[in-house]
Amino acid sequence: MNDLKVFKDMTVWRKYRETLGQKIELGLVPTMGALHEGHLSLIRKSISENEKTIVSIYVNPTQFNDKNDFKNYPVDLDQDLDMLKNLGVDYVINPVYEQMYPDNYRFRLTENNFSKLFCGKDRPGHFDGVLTIVMKLFNMVKPTRAYFGEKDFQQLTLIKDMVESFFMDVYIVSLPTLREHDGLAMSSRNVLLNEIDRKLAPWFNKILKMNISADEAKKRLEENGFAVDYVEDYNNRRLAAVRLGKVRLIDNEKI
Ligand code: PAF
């Protein structure tokens, strides 16, 4: 088992980071915890490509536009840490709000175009929160590479664009969406689905993959009991978000 170092105090982490030096190849996997196989695939990739791997576990409040969604977001730190130890991760940072937002979110990073579409339309301010926290993590960790999943395709695109726009010295690595045996995209939110909705959920991806128009896909999803936030085609991809009860699911497929 690996000697996993867990940092809750970011002042301590930043001092420790200095001791690692500039030349170290450090991989960062940013997460909000409730880890699943999708996260683990990013972490394994980071371990294979870097001298050291750090995972951040932080449920970032500024990216939730709905207070209840934030309150209900699954948390299981002990289980997450066990998984990370077994994988051979070197460091975890698990900060509190005051340390990530000493300015109480007075400063934030806003993108004014792509972030306003799709998920950004349904979740105002969501991507401001995502980009701001990811930039803060990059500044605190100074990673060589950072790893993100393609499930959050809009997030991934915006992070790549942010890195380019601000000349950030980090290489973004993305990996394909991992799926459950029935095709449902892995997500921390899947555990929130009740039994009936969990059985219905795989139809989300099945319908997205059908050779039909986005409008037709939207109609089919609605007929099958999904509340549809959007189904839209963008740059050879079909992007979609749906809700089953209070649980919001997103997915995308190449078209
Ligand atoms: O994809 C996520 O889990 C989050 O949006 C991220 C990138 C960890 C930022 O909070």
Side-chain angles (χ1 to χ4, degrees):
M1 206 171 271
N2 197 46
D3 174 24
L4 175 71
K5 286 192 168 58
V6 181
F7 294 86
K8 288 194 174 273
D9 185 329
M10 291 307 97
T11 315
V12 176
W13 158 254
R14 292 173 77 191
K15 281 232 153 61
Y16 185 83
R17 175 65 185 90
E18 276 174 30
T19 68
L20 297 175
Q22 302 283 332
K23 287 209 182 105
I24 188 165
E25 302 234 333
L26 182 57
L28 166 67
V29 186
T31 80
M32 298 207 296
L35 302 178
H36 52 70
E37 203 42 55
H39 295 113
L40 303 194
S41 72
L42 298 173
I43 295 166
R44 284 193 195 98
K45 180 83 172 156
S46 172
I47 292 174
S48 75
E49 292 184 339
N50 298 281
E51 285 168 67
K52 298 280 183 193
T53 288
I54 178 165
V55 174
S56 62
I57 299 181
Y58 180 62
V59 185
N60 173 36
T62 65
Q63 69 188 73
F64 289 83
N65 56 311
D66 174 346
K67 279 200 182 81
N68 281 327
D69 190 20
F70 175 59
K71 223 175 64 197
N72 295 330
Y73 199 83
V75 174
D76 195 341
L77 185 62
D78 289 342
Q79 187 179 299
D80 290 348
L81 293 179
D82 278 348
M83 283 181 181
L84 298 178
K85 258 184 225 155
N86 289 330
L87 275 182
V89 166
D90 301 284
Y91 315 118
V92 167
I93 48 174
N94 176 222
V96 293
Y97 178 82
E98 288 70 24
Q99 290 212 321
M100 293 314 284
Y101 291 98
D103 64 336
N104 203 14
Y105 203 35
R106 189 159 67 91
F107 290 95
R108 66 190 68 178
L109 207 156
T110 299
E111 191 272 358
N112 281 310
N113 189 328
F114 186 52
S115 72
K116 307 296 176 199
L117 309 176
F118 314 134
C119 282
K121 220 191 228 169
D122 301 316
R123 304 182 70 192
H126 168 65
F127 288 114
D128 288 9
V130 170
L131 294 175
T132 303
I133 195 67
V134 170
M135 179 187 61
K136 284 172 187 257
L137 289 168
F138 287 175
N139 288 341
M140 278 187 172
V141 172
K142 301 189 178 67
T144 318
R145 300 180 184 84
Y147 295 78
F148 297 89
E150 284 174 10
K151 181 177 76 72
D152 299 282
F153 183 79
Q154 194 177 4
Q155 164 174 289
L156 172 65
T157 306
L158 285 162
I159 291 170
K160 283 184 178 161
D161 289 353
M162 170 185 79
V163 165
E164 210 181 300
S165 300
F166 290 96
F167 316 105
M168 291 177 174
D169 220 359
V170 52
Y171 184 68
I172 303 300
V173 183
S174 61
L175 288 189
T177 306
L178 282 201
R179 297 185 179 280
E180 302 290 352
H181 65 282
D182 55 12
L184 175 65
M186 287 191 183
S187 162
S188 304
R189 291 175 195 274
N190 291 351
V191 298
L192 301 174
L193 291 166
N194 67 31
E195 212 177 311
I196 294 170
D197 288 344
R198 177 62 190 83
K199 285 200 176 118
L200 188 58
W203 280 99
F204 181 24
N205 184 254
K206 285 193 178 78
I207 293 173
L208 269 197
K209 284 205 307 214
M210 287 177 180
N211 191 12
I212 52 179
S213 71
D215 282 350
E216 181 66 18
K218 180 170 187 277
K219 210 169 114 221
R220 293 249 183 130
L221 284 163
E222 281 166 352
E223 284 164 2
N224 279 278
F226 293 86
V228 180
D229 282 352
Y230 67 87
V231 180
E232 301 222 31
D233 294 342
Y234 171 84
N235 274 358
N236 302 324
R237 269 195 194 252
R238 180 156 294 171
L239 310 178
V242 296
R243 274 169 291 118
L244 284 173
K246 287 195 164 76
V247 185
R248 189 172 187 275
L249 303 172
I250 60 171
D251 202 350
N252 66 85
E253 278 292 341
K254 280 206 176 106
I255 47 172

